[in-house]
Amino acid sequence: MPLVGGVYRIGVNLDQQDLGGPKDFMQNMLDNPGFEPPTDGHLIKMGSASNSTFTDATDSGAPTGYWVGAKASVRTGAAAGDQFTIVGFTAGGSYAFGSCQNASGGSIACPTLAAGVGVAEVLTSPAIGGPLNKNVIAGWAAGDTNSSLSTADKFEGQGSLSINVADGNSHYVDYGWDVEVSHNGVCSNDDVTPCTDANQTADCGSGNTCVVAPQAGPWHPVKGPFEIAFWAKGSGTSTGTPQVTVALTRPTTFTVSHTFTLTNDGAWHQYTFPFTGGDTGFKGGSNMWRLDFKLTATNGSAATRATIYIDDIYLGRAENSPTGFRDEVVQTLRSINPGSLRYGAYVQLGTSDDGYEGASGCRAGNSGPTATGTCDYLHGPSYVNGLGGSWVYAAQDAYALDGALDAVPFMTIGNAMNDADLKEFTDRLCTATNTYNFPSVWIENENEEWLNGHGHISYGSENLGKLGYGEETQRNFSIMNAEATAHCPSIASRFHYIMGNQICNSGVIGGELAGASAAGYPMPNTSQYGTDDATYYPSTQVLPSYSGSLASQAAQYALLIFGNVPKSVGPPGTGCINNGRYSDYGVIGSNNFLAIYEMGPGAGGNGHGNAAPEQAYLSEGGYPSAAWMAESWLLAQQIGKTPIQNEYQLGQLEYQNAPMWGIVHDLDSDFGPTFPHLRPIALGMEVMNSAIGGNYYPVSGMPSGTYANAFLQGSDWSAILVNSTSSNSAGTITFPTGTVPGICKGVLYSNGITDNNENSNSVYVGPCASFSCSGQICSYNLPPFSVEAMDPSSTATSMSHRLSPAHRQSD
């Protein structure tokens, strides 16, 4: 019998797109393209209270009057579900409230809330974040106070960009990309030796340069057919000549511009400008210039109250994207073949469902020059406690991307959603599950709840039980499960509900479960409910500084991290996750699961007595990282109740001078090595995901330091093998009745274990050097620090692609 049925391919955290660095995700390069008003969320912990006033024990720090107009929802306690409007706020956390309603929207007498009760408030206003001429909001800035977000008029949604042109002068807004340049990279003479610009000669030798990231082209390349499109309306402009000029510039490289004379009839019209992008490649990120977009409006002459409104603006390729994501994102992810995609950004945890997914009725994906009604046009930027201001693509886009990749959604929602939001989210997830036929969906309530600074909407480590996170989470799940059962009963069993935990600290999940039970919301002991952990390596979050040749250092780092992995996900007696009654596995119910919401490298290269940046790149961005992450993925499957795991994360230049949290280097198919640009960990995921499918079976008799998992899908066997040692490991695997694997592939290097893919494809996927089968017995010979997959097909087509074909994007 299989140990685990229905295991999933290893997944990845998407995170949010960025402007400055490598996360060039979206077909429309502009954030908040619908100029929707921002939201700001805060979690109140009730202090003293009456039926019209209360104090907040976790003051947001906002000035007097700031929260007036916010919609508040009681999340815990006897009045949970009740709603009201904030009618007064004084700095320091004193509130007045009124217009009270029950969870269904019916008028009620306002309650007097008990101390400690959690109340979420969400404010929606174009004034959040301050004026555009002083603060950048979702990438947008203004030259003066004449340009602002406004709800006075709009083409669709709630708001638009308002440009006051009554004085007859020109006024502009500005948007920019590509400002992140690393000081770390690879030497120009071989494209693999890690270096820093400060140590260029010592690292690379005289006459060679340290080619820092981005090594071959801009993070956001503009090349080939592109288009700018927007909707505009002149109001009070009848006596003038309203015009809008758009310009896109990368200094020393290219400039395009166009001026539109608006149809001056007081109605909305769309304007489009096709052009050819002129970006070129370069050698080293120091040659990258900021890409700048400017939109300028004028009426030509003074006119009282003359205003030009802009809405639904687009800048991107002159083509449509069904998912909303660039082709490079889809192509990269298809190479990795993830089983799940986690959608979760902290700023999205402090908003309503409309802020999270886009307004009800919006269209997922479908990004293109003339598209309207998309979810990305119909939700605004998000703040938490006044911090943030970034805009994240709509959750509905994530569903479309999941569907295109045959992946399942892993959605992290926030504490700020009220009961109606939870039901709307559930209903829309029912629709997505039916539309894309997801075999399962995974819903995490909040994330890392113990982090409760101003940038988080969390209860904090001291308030995880009754009246806090534990109570709210299980109450939320009871609402959502009831809604799914009523709204989509045939697929309600596919919904999985996740309460957050801190790895190997069972007191966290234990306290949450106890608090939920005390509040009357015990977590059901079924396979639809569970918790999750995050595994990072080394778990100490410190890389020592080793000496010796680069190859010697790479081997030392590999042995360190390979040896660290079992401390988290090893078997009972070794790993802390599954280690008896008081471990993470021991506290949850016998039928509950434990997911891995994120995992990956976990130590920076700060050079302060620890590893230097060069050493961080050698260890966490080098060839062995593919196999030590695969070791973690295999061992987590082996401990028995961990069906889904997500690597952190798809793209990020670096963190603390280390390539820790980006498994792809960039998403630029125009420049650099042959695309896609996968770092070794992504290649390890590609190899592993080619063999995962069906049911997992343990493999016994493996040599010390070598691990293997087998999978049976239909009658086809496959297996994944990892060698964590510094020597070759040879042996055989005997498969039961069925079709044995027909091919073998692994992650390989071109020069040695010091290879990386920062500016090359020196680490790649290729055929195993030694593999053969006779009857039901297959032989292997694993190189040091390696990961290999035995796939069941006699061709180069892998199991998961052959038996679960990925959908193609099409217009």
Side-chain angles (χ1 to χ4, degrees):
M1 293 293 291
L3 182 63
V4 176
V7 293
Y8 291 88
R9 304 185 307 275
I10 305 306
V12 67
N13 282 251
L14 289 175
D15 197 48
Q16 65 191 84
Q17 75 290 345
D18 68 12
L19 310 181
K23 290 183 281 188
D24 186 11
F25 285 177
M26 308 311 295
Q27 178 80 352
N28 189 349
M29 297 172 63
L30 299 166
D31 287 357
N32 194 22
F35 297 109
E36 293 294 273
T39 63
D40 194 358
H42 172 60
L43 189 61
I44 298 163
K45 183 179 179 180
M46 196 61 52
S48 59
S50 70
N51 64 354
S52 61
T53 62
F54 62 84
T55 60
D56 178 11
T58 56
D59 176 38
S60 65
T64 294
Y66 180 82
W67 292 109
V68 172
K71 303 299 182 182
S73 170
V74 183
R75 305 313 309 143
T76 62
D82 288 354
Q83 307 170 80
F84 50 83
T85 300
I86 304 301
V87 297
F89 175 74
T90 304
S94 296
Y95 288 79
F97 67 101
S99 302
C100 297
Q101 299 176 323
N102 59 26
S104 300
S107 297
I108 58 171
C110 291
T112 298
L113 300 173
V117 161
V119 174
E121 61 178 337
V122 177
L123 177 68
T124 303
S125 169
I128 293 172
L132 284 175
N133 67 311
K134 292 184 178 180
N135 299 289
V136 176
I137 301 176
W140 293 95
D144 54 39
T145 58
N146 286 55
S147 301
S148 62
L149 297 177
S150 172
T151 55
D153 204 341
K154 76 277 186 183
F155 169 68
E156 62 177 350
Q158 299 181 68
S160 65
L161 173 67
S162 169
I163 305 178
N164 182 346
V165 291
D167 60 4
N169 296 321
S170 296
H171 303 278
Y172 72 88
V173 291
D174 180 85
Y175 192 101
W177 303 261
D178 293 353
V179 295
E180 288 186 25
V181 178
S182 173
H183 293 285
N184 309 303
V186 288
C187 294
S188 60
N189 53 306
D190 62 12
D191 277 330
V192 293
T193 299
C195 59
T196 67
D197 51 11
N199 299 328
Q200 178 173 278
T201 300
D203 290 336
C204 303
S206 179
N208 299 310
T209 60
C210 182
V211 184
V212 300
Q215 283 87 1
W219 296 126
H220 293 74
V222 179
K223 184 180 179 183
F226 269 66
E227 194 161 346
I228 297 169
F230 58 90
W231 288 81
K233 171 184 175 178
S235 175
T237 58
S238 59
T239 62
T241 305
Q243 292 182 326
V244 171
T245 299
V246 293
L248 185 67
T249 303
R250 196 183 300 273
T252 77
T253 307
F254 76 93
T255 297
V256 295
S257 65
H258 185 76
T259 297
F260 301 91
T261 298
L262 303 188
T263 301
N264 202 2
D265 60 0
W268 286 94
H269 299 276
Q270 189 177 46
Y271 302 87
T272 61
F273 169 53
F275 66 94
T276 300
D279 267 331
T280 58
F282 49 70
K283 188 74 172 178
S286 59
N287 295 304
M288 182 175 68
W289 292 83
R290 168 187 156 118
L291 179 67
D292 185 82
F293 173 70
K294 183 174 288 187
L295 184 148
T296 305
T298 181
N299 192 40
S301 60
T304 304
R305 293 189 295 277
T307 304
I308 293 176
Y309 295 99
I310 307 293
D311 205 353
D312 285 11
I313 191 167
Y314 175 90
L315 193 165
R317 286 194 177 124
E319 61 186 32
N320 185 64
S321 166
T323 65
F325 291 83
R326 294 173 64 240
D327 292 341
E328 287 86 345
V329 176
V330 178
Q331 182 181 347
T332 296
L333 286 169
R334 281 192 178 136
S335 297
I336 300 168
N337 193 25
S340 55
L341 298 177
R342 181 171 177 240
Y343 176 86
Y346 279 118
V347 294
Q348 289 292 83
L349 303 183
T351 189
S352 64
D353 185 60
D354 283 356
Y356 184 84
E357 299 194 75
S360 180
C362 65
R363 290 189 294 168
N366 195 41
S367 180
T370 59
T372 59
T374 70
C375 298
D376 286 345
Y377 284 140
L378 296 174
H379 78 285
S382 302
Y383 289 75
V384 173
N385 298 328
L387 300 178
S390 60
W391 177 93
V392 185
Y393 55 90
Q396 287 286 316
D397 293 349
Y399 296 145
L401 186 61
D402 286 318
L405 298 167
D406 286 329
V408 298
F410 190 114
M411 311 301 290
T412 301
I413 63 173
N415 289 324
M417 288 192 182
N418 61 29
D419 289 11
D421 287 326
L422 296 172
K423 292 178 179 180
E424 182 181 25
F425 171 81
T426 303
D427 292 347
R428 297 170 81 171
L429 187 51
C430 286
T431 299
T433 303
N434 277 317
T435 299
Y436 303 110
N437 195 27
F438 296 136
S440 68
V441 296
W442 305 75
I443 307 156
E444 179 188 41
N445 193 80
E446 262 288 328
N447 179 253
E448 298 182 351
E449 194 66 21
W450 50 90
L451 300 175
N452 66 329
H454 278 305
H456 298 266
I457 186 159
S458 307
Y459 284 93
S461 58
E462 303 302 316
N463 195 20
L464 296 175
K466 188 176 181 181
L467 297 184
Y469 174 73
E471 177 180 337
E472 175 174 349
T473 295
Q474 291 304 324
R475 180 181 178 275
N476 286 354
F477 289 164
S478 69
I479 292 170
M480 297 169 72
N481 184 58
E483 183 69 11
T485 300
H487 191 77
C488 54
S490 64
I491 59 172
S493 61
R494 301 184 195 179
F495 287 41
H496 295 75
Y497 304 97
I498 305 169
M499 173 180 277
N501 186 41
Q502 188 176 50
I503 183 172
C504 301
N505 185 358
S506 60
V508 171
I509 185 64
E512 293 167 358
L513 292 173
S517 294
Y521 302 102
M523 184 167 80
N525 185 17
T526 74
S527 60
Q528 283 185 258
Y529 292 81
T531 186
D532 60 3
D533 281 344
T535 55
Y536 284 102
Y537 307 109
S539 56
T540 58
Q541 298 185 350
V542 174
L543 278 176
S545 180
Y546 289 133
S547 61
S549 67
L550 287 180
S552 172
Q553 291 180 50
Q556 292 176 75
Y557 284 118
L559 290 171
L560 168 73
I561 301 177
F562 274 116
N564 192 259
V565 169
K567 295 178 182 179
S568 294
V569 291
T574 302
C576 61
I577 288 178
N578 182 19
N579 197 29
R581 178 180 176 185
Y582 298 106
S583 67
D584 297 352
Y585 262 35
V587 172
I588 60 177
S590 57
N591 297 311
N592 296 145
F593 61 82
L594 186 147
I596 305 294
Y597 66 88
E598 60 188 44
M599 55 192 164
N606 54 30
H608 301 300
N610 301 317
E614 296 94 328
Q615 294 174 310
Y617 270 79
L618 185 69
S619 58
E620 296 181 311
Y623 163 80
S625 62
W628 50 253
M629 276 314 313
E631 176 192 25
S632 176
W633 301 327
L634 290 184
L635 291 182
Q637 288 180 338
Q638 290 178 10
I639 55 178
K641 295 199 295 184
T642 299
I644 196 161
Q645 305 178 60
N646 296 300
E647 183 73 13
Y648 190 83
Q649 60 183 333
L650 181 62
Q652 183 167 319
L653 171 57
E654 58 187 18
Y655 182 74
Q656 295 181 347
N657 290 307
M660 294 165 53
W661 296 335
I663 65 172
V664 303
H665 180 274
D666 60 69
L667 294 161
D668 173 12
S669 66
D670 293 308
F671 308 106
T674 301
F675 193 78
H677 300 158
L678 308 181
R679 282 173 166 158
I681 288 175
L683 294 173
M685 188 181 297
E686 175 185 343
V687 167
M688 186 152 173
N689 283 339
S690 74
I692 296 177
N695 295 324
Y696 155 65
Y697 287 76
V699 178
S700 60
M702 295 297 294
S704 177
T706 305
Y707 307 94
N709 290 359
F711 304 89
L712 181 64
Q713 184 161 309
S715 61
D716 289 324
W717 282 104
S718 62
I720 302 163
L721 301 87
V722 168
N723 181 8
S724 70
T725 74
S726 58
S727 303
N728 278 61
S729 181
T732 62
I733 295 178
T734 301
F735 291 92
T737 301
T739 302
V740 299
I743 61 169
C744 180
K745 61 175 175 285
V747 179
L748 308 175
Y749 55 74
S750 299
N751 307 291
I753 66 170
T754 61
D755 280 0
N756 59 61
N757 279 356
E758 296 306 295
N759 193 36
S760 69
N761 288 320
S762 297
V763 184
Y764 62 97
V765 174
C768 301
S770 177
F771 168 74
S772 63
C773 295
S774 177
Q776 298 302 114
I777 301 174
C778 293
S779 300
Y780 62 85
N781 189 357
L782 299 172
F785 310 135
S786 64
V787 53
E788 294 184 350
M790 298 178 180
D791 286 345
S793 172
S794 59
T795 70
T797 304
S798 69
M799 176 181 186
S800 52
H801 284 98
R802 181 167 62 89
L803 298 180
S804 299
H807 300 304
R808 264 204 180 302
Q809 275 207 136
S810 59
D811 291 344

